[in-house]
Amino acid sequence: MKTYSKYFLFFLILIGSTTYSQNENTKWYFGNQAGLDFMTNPPTAVNNGSLNTNEGCASIADANGNLLFYTDGVTIWNKNHAVMANGTGLAGNPSSTQSGIIVKQPGNPNIYYVFAQWPINGLKYSIVDMNLAAGLGSVTISNISLSASTTEKLTAVKHCNGIDTWVITHMNGSNQFLAFLVTSAGVNPIAVISPIGTIHTGQIGYMKVSPNGKKIALGIYGPHRFELYDFDNITGVVSNSLILASINYPYGVEFSPDGTKLYGTVETGGLLPIYQWDLCAGSGTAIVASQTVIGNGQGALEHGAMQLGTDGKIYVCRYLSSTLGVINNPNALGVACNYSAFGQSIAPKICMLGLPNFITSGFKPPPPPFTHTVSNAYGCQTASFTAPAVAQNFTVIGCAASGYSLTGLLWNFGDPLSGASNTSTLTNPAHAFTNLGTYTTQLILYYSCGGGTDTIKQIVNVNQPCIA
């Protein structure tokens, strides 16, 4: 059992309030003026965008899911789909795999950093101030250089503190990962350098960090292979390289929401298989041996990016197609993940090779519900509560690659008249409600290292009067 002072609880709640909002990842603009709006379920195809890109793109919405702007790494378009003031000439390229990514400045809701890269330009960033141009935003500073030569790989994930953000790229002709930290003070131009693994002789292919910040995966188009590493989102260090497979034309990679599975696409050649690896298989050898084909191109000319959506599904780009493939249950093992090659229409527009690039921490899966039983067998007007399995004994069920570590939990039974008894830090508490009626009970889960908090709410009906 854990207990907390009111000051510690306030700190935890404050940290949880900084957790990245999934709604910021709900507006997708990609391909040939294609788009998806994830504020509906299933997502709604939209075709009002101005972007026409063969590969790289990034978009951002506000906490309520309202579009702010999007980019192909060269041009920024505002929410009205017009070129943003000073929003041209960025350092990326529409033919760069991950040409751009957008990071909000910690502690400032109106300042955004747009990172853009192209091997001959290197990695640079520009600053967007959404206070300007009557809320449409303007670029105030352009193309501040961070690295002179990179591959086309660019990803980002939250720091362990849940506030700052790591922006990660890979050097061209080198085995060096570069991790730049974005804080409330701005972008630190001094990278954390991790020289490890393969020397990249080709630039093409995606790089992603798992939503929990523990793993980093790459599709490397020279030499041709998929690779997996550990990532430390406290220090920014990449370690423990593992070659998953040597396969021609590796391109897209994506993690399941719970971090237990990794998926990869090949861009061209043959049946265009889609691979899955079980990151909980055990040793590195066992993970490599877990490779499974969960689907194929089914008529697609090429496969491109894979991107996790806010609905917990993974979307797969099918080159020159008006439909995206969808992995419907990506946490499931093997073909149980349920891949559909024609899962999401974007008609009348078409996909090319790229899907929007996001901070991967924005896709942390919601926890399962808790359970409760109301019965006088537990006491007068009493309910017994059971926390979900992920909270039992403050451990995440799965393996080292999955989930976040829980540091504590707090129940609020929604019964303030019960005084100090209205809260509990037990895993399986019972609560005697003061009156018959309907109560909203909530369970707050506190996570370590960037996990923030989750709040689960349920209605509890207390309708059994006490037996005299």
Side-chain angles (χ1 to χ4, degrees), residues 132-454:
L132 302 179
L136 294 176
S138 296
V139 177
T140 57
I141 301 175
S142 297
N143 293 331
I144 301 172
S145 181
L146 292 172
S147 177
S149 177
T150 64
T151 62
E152 298 179 11
K153 293 171 172 59
L154 180 63
T155 190
V157 69
K158 284 293 183 183
H159 185 281
C160 176
N161 61 23
I163 300 171
D164 303 326
T165 299
W166 291 107
V167 175
I168 309 159
T169 187
H170 197 285
M171 293 292 287
N172 190 23
S174 167
N175 69 343
Q176 293 184 348
F177 290 85
L178 305 182
F180 297 90
L181 190 60
V182 182
T183 71
S184 59
V187 180
N188 187 341
I190 301 175
V192 175
I193 301 174
S194 300
I196 185 172
T198 296
I199 294 175
H200 289 214
T201 57
Q203 298 91 25
I204 300 171
Y206 269 79
M207 177 169 64
K208 295 285 186 72
V209 181
S210 57
N212 58 22
K214 294 182 178 181
K215 298 288 184 178
I216 188 166
L218 303 86
I220 306 171
Y221 218 102
H224 294 265
R225 58 180 54 164
F226 289 102
E227 291 188 343
L228 179 71
Y229 297 79
D230 289 338
F231 182 71
D232 186 334
N233 66 347
I234 299 176
T235 64
V237 170
V238 180
S239 61
N240 296 328
S241 64
L242 177 64
I243 299 173
L244 294 172
S246 295
I247 295 172
N248 285 338
Y249 312 115
Y251 192 81
V253 291
E254 187 58 286
F255 290 90
S256 60
D258 67 0
T260 65
K261 311 296 185 301
L262 175 67
Y263 295 87
T265 63
V266 295
E267 181 187 357
T268 188
L271 295 175
L272 300 179
I274 299 175
Y275 297 100
Q276 181 199 79
W277 291 271
D278 179 9
L279 305 187
C280 291
S283 65
T285 301
I287 292 172
V288 172
S290 73
Q291 178 180 306
T292 302
V293 175
I294 57 94
N296 58 57
Q298 297 190 34
L301 296 175
E302 297 180 21
H303 268 153
M306 312 180 84
Q307 177 57 53
L308 187 59
T310 56
D311 57 1
K313 300 178 180 182
I314 293 176
Y315 291 80
V316 182
C317 210
R318 295 164 50 85
Y319 185 61
L320 297 183
S321 175
S322 60
T323 59
L324 300 179
V326 179
I327 302 174
N328 289 284
N329 302 301
N331 292 335
L333 185 63
V335 295
C337 70
N338 186 19
Y339 175 67
S340 172
F342 307 99
Q344 174 65 51
S345 173
I346 54 172
K349 304 302 182 179
I350 60 173
C351 189
M352 303 301 279
L353 290 173
L355 290 172
N357 200 12
F358 296 106
I359 300 174
T360 58
S361 311
F363 300 98
K364 183 168 72 74
F370 61 81
T371 59
H372 72 276
T373 303
V374 179
S375 174
N376 285 333
Y378 303 117
C380 181
Q381 297 170 185
T382 298
S384 175
F385 295 87
T386 301
V390 295
Q392 300 296 325
N393 299 318
F394 300 97
T395 186
V396 175
I397 295 178
C399 68
S402 67
Y404 295 83
S405 297
L406 280 152
T407 59
L409 54 79
L410 176 68
W411 296 89
N412 185 311
F413 301 110
D415 182 20
L417 293 179
S418 66
S421 298
N422 190 42
T423 61
S424 174
T425 58
L426 297 175
T427 306
N428 304 111
H431 179 72
F433 288 88
T434 52
N435 295 293
L436 298 179
T438 300
Y439 298 84
T440 299
T441 296
Q442 65 180 14
L443 171 62
I444 305 173
L445 302 175
Y446 299 100
Y447 301 96
S448 67
C449 202
T453 65
D454 276 321

